Each structure stands twice: as structure tokens, then as C-alpha cells.
Amino acid sequence: MTDADADSGWFESVPPDDLEAARKAIDSGNTESPKDWPTKAVESGFAEDKNEYYDKLHEAATYTTREVVKERERADDQQLKHSIRAMDDCERVANELAERATEWAGSRFDDVDTGIAGARDLAEREPSGDLDGRVVSLSARAAALADERDALAATIDRIAPAVAPNLADMAGPELAARLIALAGGLEPLAKKPSGTVQVLGAEDALFAHLSGRAPSPKHGIIYTHEFVRGTRPEDRGSAARALAGKLALAARADHYSGEYREVLHEDLRERMATIRARAEPAGVDGDADDAPGPGGDSAATEGDDA
Amino acid sequence: MPDSALPDGVERREFGGETRLATRGPPVYGEPTDGEWRAWDPERSKLGGMFELGFDTGLSGGETVLYLGAAAGTTVGHVADFAGPTYAVEFAPRPTRDLLDVAESRDRLFPLLKDARKPETYAHVVESDVDAIVQDVATRGQATVANRNARFLADDGRLLLAVKARSEDVTADPDDVFTDVLAELDGTYEVLESGRLDRFHEDHLGIVATPR
């Protein structure tokens, strides 16, 4: 819900003592520039004086924040799972439709860009005739799906830290949601050993390996994490193993206690710094845990992590 | 025992034979108290650390403050004790639950569950021309957050920023991270003072700045 008047304070059009209306206004309002709201509130008659305004703001802000926190915390791992899957579907379909629409449009319009950007541009054009109308309409649908994808991503950004504070902080909201979705929920993820977390999303490669046709996969979906992708290839196995170990601990902390644990995050950062220090010519450190464990050798990642 | 560098409402007082920073307000996290005064632990608070280290924060007490990254409210509670209207922005729901308890007993502390990277989502609540922005957000892009929120700050206002090097890049040398952050702030703010907070917070830089 967007405020029609993008330049108004939260209190405008909120009836006195209507906390629910205030909650909606505070939670979903959107304004580019702040103003002297206390003065404006007094001028508009919302409050007698600034003191009364601040009293009302305190009541409304406390109420709103309490309600929104409750709502966010009610969102559970299953909601996160549906959200991330829906996001992926929207993205895939938006891209397919945009590709189709722009390819089609190339035969009828000048200056057609490819992809979602091209579809957004086409959606704005004035069609002349039935066929042009279809192309423009198809483009508009692709653009709307891309918008829905972005909205789902924003929702995941909001609810993932509530569902799994440690996992969301360590992996980022999107990867946290993917890991939860791949495992089938936060509890199943919390019960998985770190070696399984390491290759979640690389099941095809893993089974190819188990049947003797391929080397073991070094990493699954966690490849998308900067700690893995940003580490030089020969150290990626170590990086993936270290990250997976801490992600497994983060999932357990989230499932069994729900409290944020700073020490987990510090440990991982230190471990990563050690691993990356190997890439520095002078920094030959005696780090010993480099035995070829689950994936000390080269192997491909598979799955949707491109 | 008034201290010229400290705002009114912040004093150094004795707690169990030790001189510590303190503010007046209801206790929040089991900190030592002495009458209505409660100790302010600089190891748990970047702003507390900046006061202990003698930063010239430009605060004198009673200011309107926007606090970004309020977390569970440990520091923002102390701020609300000595400042005027205080807007507390925090993004994560769980710590916000504790922040609500702190706000409950402080009628000029306004908790907001918002993302500090998106000021447009709270510009309809937070007033313009605040006297100080206190920022302690542990996310990548801390300078960007400060720059985006400059819209709230009065022309002669102060930005009191604690930069966590590890949030920007865990593998880089903290000094390089701080250089980059200062460079990014430079377009929007004039930096008045900066210094490491290592005595209390490892790999953190404290910055006092004012809008250009």
C-alpha cells in the first residue's frame, strides 16, 4: 500500500487515537524528504503542541513496531521456502517472456533492447494495431513479473532475519532462504551435518560422484557466497568446507535457540582470513587442515547457482 | 563532577570503586546502578567508547537524535537518557523486541523497525534537521548509509559514526577499509575527527563529521 500523497507525514489522514491507522501509515509510508513533522502536526491540528505530538508519536511508534515485530516473527521457515521458490519462478518466467517479447518486437519496432530492460521499455510504447498491441502487452506482463520478483526478494530480505538471524546474517537473506528450501525447512537443515550443507544444491554432481562417474563436488548452492566465489579456485574447497561448517552451526543456533551469536560470525571471518592469506605470496602459513576431504580436488558445481 | 567534553546528563561516577560513564534512566541490561544513575559500558557501546576516548562529539544534551542500528537498545537507551527526542532505527526483529522494552520506559525514544539503507521508508516519521545522527550498523556500505541519511541532519549537525572494518571486507586491512570509507563520506560530510576505537572495539573507527 503506497501513500497517495508521497510528501505527507505519517500522521496526516490518521484519525486521533486510531492506533491501527497509525500502524499502517508508519509501516508502509514512503517519503523522499523529511520535514519538520512536529511543527506540521501542530499546524494541522493533529496535536496541541510539540509535547503532545511526541507523546502521540511514542505511542504510535511503539505500537507499530511491536505489531510489525510480531508479524515478522510469525513468518516461519515454510513461508521463506515458498517465497524463494516463487521468486525463482517469477525470475525464470519473466526472463523467458522478456526474451520472447523482445525477439518478437525486433521484427516490428526499432531500437529494441534485450531482456527485462527491453521488455520494460517496450511496455511503455504506443502500439499501432493488433499485433503491436500483443507485443506491448506481453512485454508489460514480463515487466510486471520482474517487479513481482523484486518484491519477493524484498520480502525475503525482511523475513529471513526473523526466521533465522544467524543464518541470514552469515549467508545473506537469499542464500539462507535457499538453504532452508533445499533442506525442506530450518529443522531439517539444523540436523544436517556440515558436509551435507556443503553440497546442498549439487545433488546431481554428488550422485554422479557416488556412482563413481565423477569427482566429489566441492560446493553446492553455497558457491554463490562471496567467501567461496571470491576465493581463488585452489582454496575454494577449504573455503566451502569452512563456510558450510559455520552455516550448519548457524542453522542449529537459529533452530534451537533463536539468539544471535556474534562469536560464530567472528570465527568464520577469522577462518576465511586465514584461508585467503594463503593466496598471498609471503603469507605461507602452516595451516594444516588441508587434507583432501569432501572435495579436495577439482570438481564442478552444478545446479542453479550460475 | 562535570566534564567539559561530555554532554549534560552524562557524568563520570563511581561504581564499586571504579569511575565510569553514566546516565540517568531506568536500567536496561542489568548494568550497575547508583540511585538513578546507571553505568554506561564503553565495551558494549561504540558511542560510549567515543566518549571515553575523548572524542569531541559536539553533543551538549537535549539534542534531537536519529540513531541508526539501535540493535537491542543498549546504547540508544543511554542516548535517550541525555538527549531530547530520539529516533531509533533497527532492521532485525529479534533485537527490536528488546529495544521496545527500552523505549517503553523512555517517552521520547521512538523505535522504528526500518532498514537504514532505505531512508525513504522512514522519512515520513523522522523529522528533518536533527542535531545528531549516531550510526552503528554492521552491514557492508556503511558510508553509503551515512550519506543517504544526511538528508535528516541539520546544516550544523553532527554525524557520529562507528565503522566496523570487518563488515566491509573481512580480508582487507582495516586501515584500507577506513581510507575508503572516509573517501566516500568526503562528498557529503566534512570529517572533523576520526580515531580507532580499538581500546574498546577491535577494528572499529570512530568518526565525527558535519554536513558539507
Side-chain angles (χ1 to χ4, degrees), chain B residues 141-160:
Chain B
Q142 296 168 91
T144 311
V145 169
N147 288 344
R148 282 189 194 156
N149 281 278
R151 68 186 79 180
F152 295 101
L153 197 54
D155 292 339
D156 59 349
R158 289 286 183 279
L159 168 73
L160 307 174

Side-chain angles (χ1 to χ4, degrees), chain A residues 8-10 25-38 51 53-55 57-58 61-62 65-66 68-69 72-73 157-158 161-163 165 226-227 258-259 262 266 269-270 272-273 276, chain B residues 64 85 87 91-94 96-101 103-114 117-129 138 140 151-152 164 166-167 169-171:
Chain A
S8 57
W10 66 275
I26 290 178
D27 188 32
S28 56
N30 203 298
T31 301
E32 212 39 58
S33 325
K35 297 202 169 50
D36 184 358
W37 302 126
N51 261 326
Y53 170 77
Y54 284 131
D55 287 342
L57 173 59
H58 183 260
T62 314
T65 303
R66 176 162 294 122
V68 179
V69 165
R72 297 271 166 83
E73 295 201 325
D157 279 356
R158 276 200 303 273
V163 173
E226 204 272 329
F227 279 167
E259 297 296 319
E262 179 66 31
E266 295 284 329
R269 290 183 200 117
E270 272 165 32
M272 281 300 151
R276 290 197 173 173
Chain B
T64 301
Y87 298 88
F91 178 56
R94 232 169 271 258
T96 302
R97 230 198 276 146
D98 299 331
L99 171 63
L100 279 163
D101 292 337
E104 201 69 56
S105 54
R106 288 170 174 79
D107 63 2
R108 290 297 176 265
L109 178 54
F110 315 117
L112 296 166
L113 186 67
K114 300 282 184 185
R117 289 168 297 186
K118 297 176 185 156
E120 68 278 6
T121 60
Y122 49 86
H124 64 306
V125 182
V126 177
E127 61 192 89
S128 54
D129 293 328
R140 198 171 283 213
R151 68 186 79 180
F152 295 101
K164 183 176 185 178
R166 296 179 138 192
S167 296
D169 184 343
V170 289
T171 56

Side-chain angles (χ1 to χ4, degrees), chain B residues 24-35:
Chain B
R24 258 175 306 191
V28 170
Y29 50 94
E31 68 278 28
T33 54
D34 170 17

Side-chain angles (χ1 to χ4, degrees), chain B residues 19-150:
Chain B
T19 306
R20 303 179 60 176
L21 287 175
T23 62
R24 258 175 306 191
V28 170
Y29 50 94
E31 68 278 28
T33 54
D34 170 17
E36 51 185 359
W37 292 87
R38 60 195 190 96
W40 187 351
D41 185 349
E43 308 225 338
R44 299 182 55 152
S45 163
K46 274 71 150 197
L47 185 61
M50 287 170 77
F51 280 132
E52 279 286 8
L53 294 168
F55 276 72
D56 183 6
T57 60
L59 295 174
S60 55
E63 284 87 359
T64 301
V65 176
L66 169 59
Y67 194 107
L68 305 171
T74 313
T75 302
V76 82
H78 286 292
V79 172
D81 287 349
F82 72 82
T86 303
Y87 298 88
V89 172
E90 171 54 42
F91 178 56
R94 232 169 271 258
T96 302
R97 230 198 276 146
D98 299 331
L99 171 63
L100 279 163
D101 292 337
V102 181
E104 201 69 56
S105 54
R106 288 170 174 79
D107 63 2
R108 290 297 176 265
L109 178 54
F110 315 117
L112 296 166
L113 186 67
K114 300 282 184 185
D115 184 346
R117 289 168 297 186
K118 297 176 185 156
E120 68 278 6
T121 60
Y122 49 86
H124 64 306
V125 182
V126 177
E127 61 192 89
S128 54
D129 293 328
V130 302
D131 302 302
I133 293 179
V134 183
Q135 180 182 323
D136 178 14
V137 296
T139 59
R140 198 171 283 213
Q142 296 168 91
T144 311
V145 169
N147 288 344
R148 282 189 194 156
N149 281 278

Side-chain angles (χ1 to χ4, degrees), chain A residues 247-302:
Chain A
L247 287 171
L249 291 178
R252 284 168 212 169
D254 288 337
H255 176 65
Y256 293 106
S257 104
E259 297 296 319
Y260 185 80
R261 295 246 178 90
E262 179 66 31
V263 62
L264 273 177
H265 305 269
E266 295 284 329
D267 285 354
L268 176 62
R269 290 183 200 117
E270 272 165 32
R271 185 75 193 104
M272 281 300 151
T274 311
I275 290 171
R276 290 197 173 173
R278 291 180 203 158
E280 286 157 27
V284 184
D285 63 13
D287 190 74
D289 86 10
D290 232 4
D297 42 21
S298 67
T301 315
E302 59 97 30

